[in-house]
Every structure is written in C-alpha cells, then in structure tokens.
Amino acid sequence: MANITLSLPDGSQRTLPDGATGADLALDIGPGLAKVALVAIVNGVERDLAVPLPDGAAVSIVTADSDEGLYIIRHSTAHVLAQAVLDLWPGATYAIGPPIDHGFYYDFLLPEKATFNPEDLEAIDSRMREIVASDQLFERYETNTAEAMELFAGHPYKCEIIEKVSNGDATTELSGEASADVSGSLSYYRTGDGFVDLCMGPHVPSTGRLGHFALQKVAGAYWRGDESQPMLQRIYGTAWASKKDLAGHLHRLLEAEKRDHRRLAVDLDLVSWPESLGPGLAVWHPRGALVRKLIEDYSRERHEVGGYDFVFSPHIAKSILWETSGHLDFYADSMYPPMEMDGATYYPKPMNCPFHVTVFDSSQRSYRDLPLRYFELGAVYRYELSGAIHGLMRSRGFTQDDAHIFCMREQVPAELASLLDFTLSVLRAFGFEDFQAKLSTRPGGKAVGDDDLWEMATDGLRSALDTAALSYVVDEGGGAFYGPKIDVDVTDSIGRPWQLSTIQLDFNLPERFGLEYVGSDGERHQPVMIHRALMGSIERFFGVLLEHFAGALPAWLAPEQVRVLPVAAEHQEYAELVLSRLNESGFRATVDPADEPLGKRVRAGKVAKIPHVVVVGDDDVANATVGENARGTDSPERDLQLGAFLERLTEEVDTRA
RNA sequence: GCCCGAGUAGCUCAGUUGGUCAGAGCAGGCGCCUUGUAAGCGUCAGGUCGUCGGUUCGAAUCCGACCUCGGGCUCCA
C-alpha cells in the first residue's frame, strides 16, 4: 500500500498509509490528541476528520482550545438543536443556525405559526442531551442542486439557500478561507436516523463531542433580518469546550448583569425613568446630575484649550433648514413629527450640524479664519423604534458632545491627526485604555465629492490612525455617501466593546448650504466639514462609565468622595472638623452621625461605593488622625494624619486616578 | 414597529388548583442603644396587586385590549 507524507505546523513530517484521514493523523500523533481532535485544517481549509488526506498536504489538527474549535463546537451544537426541534415539532421547518460569539442560534418556523415558550427550552434541551448521549456521527454528503432541492423539499428556507448557493452568490460574504473551494458546490450532513441539514461544515466527528451547552432564550427574528419577511422563532444558546468554561461564561453573564447601568443608576440614586415621561426619556437625580456635570465640565475645559469655539443652537427649527440639509430626504424616519406654528412647520432637531453650518455662514469667512471649530453639548431628539430603546444607551433624547470643523482641503490631514489625538486623550482621562478603530471608505454607489477629495480625506484618516498607533479595521465601502469616517470603540473593564467616538468627513453639507470662504488667491472656495463626537452621547457615555467601573466611579467623578463616620456621638464635633477641612480643600464629603452602629454605617458607605469611608474615634481626636477605608480594600488603615490624608486625596483627584 | 417574556409598597421579591393573599426583607419615620470597621433592638407608615374592560357568587390569580419594562429582529447553508 502506498504511503502519503504530511507536514505538521511544527515543520515535522509524518508518513501514513494512503487513504488516511485527519482522525488517523491525530491518532498517529497521540491518543490524547485523537480524543480531543475536532476537525483538521488541510492546506488552509477546514475539513472533517473523516476526510482522507491528500499526499503532501500541510495539516493541523483543531481542538477545542482554539477559536476555530469553539466555532465548530457551536456550529455542531446548533445542528443538534435543529435535530431536536424537528424531532419534537413535526411539521416545523428550519432556516439558518450559525455559530456566534459565545454560542449559536437557530431559526425555525413552527406549524400553525406556533411559538416557543421558555418551558419548551427544557424539553428541547433534554432531547439534545439524548442526541449527545447516543453519540451520532456527523456524516457529510456532497450533492447537486436537483438532489438537494428534492432532499429539502418542504423546507422553503433551505430551498432558498440552495438556489442562492447554486447561483454562486452565497459565499461572497463568508470569510475567505472556508469558502475558497466550496463556492457553488452543495453539501449536507446527516446525523442519527434521518436528520439532514444543508451545511458546508465542517463538523465535529460525532455528537458525543458536544454537551457543554445551555439554551438561553427565545426570540423573534425576521428571515434575513428583513421586516417584510416572515418572523421566525429563534433559539439562542451558548456552548463551550468544557463544563468549567460553560460555568465560567454563565458566571460572567451574571457579573455583567450586576453592572447593568440601569440597575446601578437606580441603586445609586443617579437617574430614573418615570413612566410618565415616555419611553427612552430619563430624569437626572442630584447625584447623577453632579456626575454628569463633572463629565461635561471636563469636556468643556478640554475643548476650551483645544481650540474650539462654543456655540448654542435651539431644539427646533423650521422645515426649510432640514430641507436644505437633506435630513428630510434621508433621515425623516428618525425625526420627531413636525409641529405647526404660525403657518410654519417646525421639527425637533435630530442633529446639530445644520445649525453650526448657519453659524459658519453668518459672515464672510477668510482662509485666515480656518479651521473654525464649533462645539456644543447639543441635545437632539430621535425617534428610535420602541424595541430599540435601552436605558441611557439608546434613548430618544440625548446630548451629543458635538463639534463641526470647517477647514480648507489642505488642512484636512493635519486636522484629522490632531483630532484623533485629542479624542484618545479625552477618553483616556476617563480610564479607557483599549481602543479599536474602524475606517469606513467610499461606498460603491453614488457619492458626493470628487475623487481627489475622497482620496485625500481617506489617506488623512489612515495616516491619523497610523500616527496614533491605533489598531483598526477597514470597512471597504462602508462610508456614507457624503464622506469617509473613523469610528472608535473602547473596550471596557470586562472586555466589552462600546462605540463612542466618530470622526466623519462631510463633502455634502457645505455643498448643500453653499458654504464658501475667500482663499489667499482672492477666489471663493468650498470648505471641508468634519463632524465629530468623542463621547457620542453624554447620557450613553455616562452609562458606559457606570458599567465600566461597576458603579465605583473614580474619586474625581464620584458624587460623594468621602464619608466621615464618628465612632460615637462624642466624636461628632471632630468629624465635622474633618468635614470642613475636606470641604475647604474642595472635596465632596458628608458626615454620617453615630446613631447606628459603626459596622452598619461602614457597610452603607461601601454599598454606596464611596471611594473613602473615614472613621474617627478617641485616638483620632487625640492625634488629629483618621482611620481610612479605601474602596476595594478590606482592612482599614488607622492613625493616618489628616494632612497626609488630604494630600493623598488631592493627588488622587488631580491625577484622575 | 414585529416576536417572546414580565409588571405585587421607594428597592428586591413571596403569594399553591380563583375563596382572610394583600405579605416579607431592605430603605424611610419615630423611640431606645453610643457604637473602632460590611446589617443592634423595638415600633410606625406605605400598595386601587401597570391601566381599562370581561368571565365569576367571588379575580393579584382566568380572558381581552392598551401602557411600560426586559430580551431578540442577517455575527448569514
């Protein structure tokens, strides 16, 4: 029998009999690997372990340790979910079931337009575990369009996918490596007695490799995400390589829930959402308003020294403004309905830009004036779908830290570079360290502005990203028709990304409003406009900060920085002395008098996430000291000189630690 | 907007098959206790059980509509 030679990732070679599969290779390397092997990557393409390997191939074995392995596990678990549902609901049909971050989902249409109840998940889960226990093989079959249509007759969504794949346009958006050589071909998998699913694979060898999963929730989802399509029933689940990983993930979900800003905002008495206001509208309580003011003050301070001019604009304007800006053409769905007054039609503003444009246009501008940078904490109103509203993160009224920069073409690169630098500097001050940017370039269809302008602006954005050493991805063609842009995500303390900043070129509004400046050549030129927001929405930024810090805001932002606890009533006088020293130094502090036991008051201070809970008793009165409980520590620090404590606090606040 | 779920005192929640089911803890008020580091004791007050309609001798509980909140609505075989 002939042999084949295979090369492994470490550069070594192995010789196996002709016809050997990925599973054989894994076993040849070691029985331990064979047990955990999921698929093989053959010459860069993921393959089932049961597929014979070609001679000379570069092969690596994928286990659950890798992202690829987890992806396979989730994908295969989704198949088991579909198998269970089709078992339990005769007449049900299925659509798609991809792996996603942390898990998978599968979309179904049940007979009689039935829906899943949360209780159904238990039954499905049990059936899935039976399928796992019986260790059914995932068997792959190649097929053609006609056969596939027959096999999946009665399953309209599968047939739609078959047609799409047969036309060769299904793989265009799939990530490169897996789609490279399967374009246009059809495959399906068979498990158990009769379950088949259209799938390009690969899959784990058998269902016994699965099992560390949990079904999470039921949701409605439109077929292809299109509102005009039928609403399918989606089941979400999570799946992991081990019981421990699954438990870890479920634990992280609980932790994330604890830092939900909607819960923290209410617990810490910062913000509330009275029903009488309407969805997506909040009121700010004194403590929340104080924090917000600190954020806004800092923003204003930075813009003041950053070369911005402050402007203000009204909340409503006549329709002519929105006609000129074009918002009524392309943004009307997101605008609040008009108000008729004195024979004119007014709209609440969804954006600040048209107002800032009118400020620019209020007098003749010279090249000597540019760049002009107009800044406003501008409240805008947008009609968000009721189902999209989410606490402070997505609301119908919010405040943008909005600026519009008007400059000459040749100023664009330098302006973008300093702008990105400014953006990151402000975000860093709030404790964000990890950033991820996205560059969106010229879209394929209609776009305004000449080619040179697009190229210059896009290059400017790219070099600004390079200069800032910011990692970024490029969304080719993802820009708006009026200009390219950069979006900046921050990663919070538990690894979640939040899109905050956006820097967006606009070649359209200057044109629509006929903006001009007089150049050094004495001719009139059109300025370039840059929209930018750093925090995006102040409300949302506040929510992100709360989640990032789990409510424990750094001292410079904490509504109450120090709480002084006298041990007994006789120490009240000294506590008030400490309080006045704190206040004189500009700190926000209170005294919690001794009418409850100390332990209870310490606890209350901790629960309120006060950065410093200070205890004063006999020793402190005698020695002018305090006992300090820094947030996040268990053991108090006794006999700290008051002066030293104040210095420490000053340092902490000044450095925004 | 659409699908699923939820809505009981400021907060967190109990309330079995419709019949003292209107309750608890925390928070709040008032007393007592005077406390050295994560919940001292007692006491009082608080809710038209989201709203409106229906079924029933009887509804927090069953049904319908509406309101609000939560999750989801292409991470594409």
Side-chain angles (χ1 to χ4, degrees):
Chain A
M1 197 196 299
N3 285 334
I4 56 171
T5 304
L6 305 165
S7 58
L8 300 180
D10 64 1
S12 66
Q13 307 238 317
R14 265 177 201 264
T15 302
L16 290 171
D18 191 16
T21 65
D24 296 329
L25 173 64
L27 187 61
D28 189 57
I29 296 170
L33 181 64
K35 266 189 212 164
V36 296
L38 298 177
V39 300
I41 297 179
V42 183
N43 294 328
V45 180
E46 290 181 347
R47 292 292 191 190
D48 290 328
L49 284 179
V51 174
L53 300 168
D55 188 26
V59 185
S60 60
I61 301 294
V62 174
T63 68
D65 291 340
S66 63
D67 288 346
E68 292 96 329
L70 277 176
Y71 185 99
I72 302 292
I73 285 175
R74 288 167 188 157
H75 190 185
S76 297
T77 308
H79 270 240
V80 174
L81 166 61
Q83 187 175 349
V85 168
L86 265 58
D87 251 16
L88 295 169
W89 276 267
T93 191
Y94 49 167
I96 59 169
I100 55 176
D101 283 352
H102 307 139
F104 58 90
Y105 67 79
Y106 216 113
D107 287 345
F108 302 95
L109 187 62
L110 300 182
E112 316 277 307
K113 290 188 178 170
T115 57
F116 291 116
N117 300 314
E119 302 84 69
D120 293 334
L121 291 185
E122 287 178 38
I124 297 167
D125 186 277
S126 305
R127 183 71 194 103
M128 287 174 72
R129 291 192 193 281
E130 288 168 22
I131 295 167
V132 167
S134 61
D135 198 18
Q136 303 169 6
L137 294 175
F138 275 94
E139 295 176 293
R140 181 189 178 89
Y141 298 89
E142 303 282 338
T143 185
N144 58 43
T145 304
E147 262 181 33
M149 291 298 270
E150 184 159 344
L151 188 60
F152 291 97
H155 293 292
Y157 302 108
K158 294 295 180 191
C159 292
E160 198 176 317
I161 294 163
I162 293 165
E163 279 174 20
K164 205 170 82 161
V165 175
S166 300
N167 292 335
D169 56 10
T171 54
T172 50
E173 292 167 47
L174 296 176
S175 56
E177 75 278 15
S179 62
D181 71 339
V182 293
S183 181
S185 77
L186 285 163
S187 57
Y188 64 91
Y189 281 78
R190 186 179 290 278
T191 44
D193 295 332
F195 178 74
V196 289
D197 196 358
L198 189 70
C199 185
M200 63 183 179
H203 278 292
V204 299
S206 65
T207 58
R209 298 303 184 93
L210 311 171
H212 307 294
F213 65 84
L215 299 183
Q216 294 173 299
K217 52 203 171 193
V218 179
Y222 297 105
W223 170 237
R224 299 196 182 286
D226 182 346
E227 286 183 39
S228 66
Q229 297 277 0
M231 169 78 61
L232 306 178
Q233 292 289 305
R234 174 172 297 179
I235 294 175
Y236 279 95
T238 186
W240 296 82
S242 69
K243 192 173 179 177
K244 190 178 154 213
D245 289 350
L246 173 63
H249 177 67
L250 296 177
H251 179 71
R252 282 192 297 279
L253 288 181
L254 284 177
E255 288 300 306
E257 206 172 302
K258 276 190 205 159
R259 46 174 84 215
D260 187 318
H261 77 282
R262 293 163 302 185
R263 180 197 178 102
L264 289 169
V266 171
D267 285 353
L268 300 175
D269 194 19
L270 305 173
V271 172
S272 64
W273 290 267
E275 273 199 24
S276 53
L277 304 197
L281 301 170
V283 286
W284 294 68
H285 299 201
R287 282 175 174 253
L290 176 51
V291 177
R292 175 178 175 156
K293 180 175 176 298
L294 291 164
I295 294 170
E296 293 181 348
D297 286 349
Y298 181 72
S299 171
R300 288 202 170 96
E301 197 181 297
R302 291 298 304 270
H303 282 86
E304 205 163 351
V305 300
Y308 287 80
D309 296 320
F310 288 26
V311 296
F312 291 95
S313 56
H315 289 199
I316 60 173
K318 286 199 293 187
S319 52
I320 180 72
L321 184 75
W322 310 109
E323 284 161 16
T324 307
S325 71
H327 284 96
L328 282 177
D329 287 336
F330 63 82
Y331 204 73
D333 287 351
S334 297
M335 291 172 69
Y336 266 73
M339 295 172 272
E340 301 294 334
M341 295 190 299
D342 299 335
T345 303
Y346 289 79
Y347 285 89
K349 64 171 169 181
M351 295 189 192
N352 302 299
C353 26
F355 295 93
H356 294 188
V357 165
T358 64
V359 177
F360 179 89
D361 207 25
S362 64
S363 70
Q364 193 165 71
R365 305 295 176 183
S366 152
Y367 71 97
R368 295 173 189 278
D369 301 327
L370 304 184
L372 271 172
R373 307 184 187 94
Y374 293 148
F375 173 74
E376 178 178 12
L377 291 173
V380 297
Y381 295 87
R382 295 182 184 173
Y383 180 76
E384 299 284 353
L385 290 182
S386 62
I389 288 168
H390 180 91
L392 294 173
M393 302 302 191
R394 183 73 80 88
S395 57
R396 285 180 171 168
F398 60 97
T399 309
Q400 292 181 300
D401 61 332
D402 205 2
H404 295 91
I405 296 164
F406 300 88
C407 62
M408 298 184 279
R409 282 185 171 218
E410 49 273 36
Q411 292 174 321
V412 166
E415 195 60 28
L416 291 174
S418 72
L419 189 44
L420 186 58
D421 191 52
F422 181 73
T423 301
L424 298 181
S425 161
V426 171
L427 294 181
R428 285 194 178 103
F430 286 94
F432 294 110
E433 291 300 332
D434 292 328
F435 305 101
Q436 171 69 45
K438 183 173 76 178
L439 171 65
S440 299
T441 62
R442 184 172 188 160
K446 274 189 188 168
V448 298
D450 56 74
D451 292 350
D452 287 352
L453 191 54
W454 274 90
E455 192 182 333
M456 184 268 294
T458 307
D459 286 348
L461 289 171
R462 196 175 280 120
S463 80
L465 287 164
D466 291 337
T467 307
L470 200 54
S471 76
Y472 65 98
V473 294
V474 179
D475 182 6
E476 287 294 348
F481 71 91
Y482 51 82
K485 65 170 177 175
I486 293 174
D487 295 313
V488 181
D489 285 7
V490 302
T491 305
D492 74 8
S493 56
I494 57 171
R496 298 171 301 178
W498 301 95
Q499 194 203 309
L500 297 181
S501 312
T502 184
I503 297 174
Q504 165 94 58
L505 276 294
D506 189 338
F507 313 138
N508 183 46
L509 279 187
E511 174 70 30
R512 295 190 74 111
F513 281 90
L515 301 185
E516 299 177 332
Y517 66 92
V518 178
S520 58
D521 56 2
E523 298 294 316
R524 290 166 186 266
H525 301 276
Q526 193 173 87
V528 172
M529 186 171 168
I530 306 171
H531 306 252
R532 48 107 283 189
L534 307 188
M535 304 169 189
S537 146
I538 300 291
E539 290 83 350
R540 180 164 178 276
F541 187 72
F542 176 90
V544 171
L545 280 180
L546 274 185
E547 303 215 357
H548 177 59
F549 290 113
L553 294 168
W556 76 282
L557 286 172
E560 184 178 346
Q561 297 168 312
V562 185
R563 187 174 290 183
V564 185
L565 313 184
V567 171
E570 68 205 70
H571 310 118
Q572 178 71 16
E573 196 182 333
Y574 179 69
E576 283 171 14
L577 174 72
V578 172
L579 176 68
S580 61
R581 290 288 302 279
L582 285 161
N583 288 338
E584 282 161 19
S585 302
F587 298 113
R588 299 179 289 275
T590 60
V591 170
D592 190 2
D595 44 26
E596 293 286 356
L598 184 63
K600 179 166 181 172
R601 287 176 290 144
V602 168
R603 177 181 151 75
K606 298 278 190 188
V607 168
K609 301 182 191 284
I610 311 294
H612 301 280
V613 175
V614 160
V615 173
V616 292
D618 285 337
D619 300 343
D620 302 295
V621 173
N623 304 314
T625 58
V626 297
E628 139 87 321
N629 290 268
R631 185 176 56 199
T633 62
D634 297 332
S635 50
E637 181 180 353
R638 294 282 303 272
D639 306 321
L640 181 62
Q641 286 295 320
L642 180 55
F645 175 63
L646 288 170
E647 269 175 42
R648 189 187 286 184
L649 214 55
T650 302
E651 161 85 9
E652 185 183 358
V653 169
D654 285 354
T655 59
R656 301 194 177 82

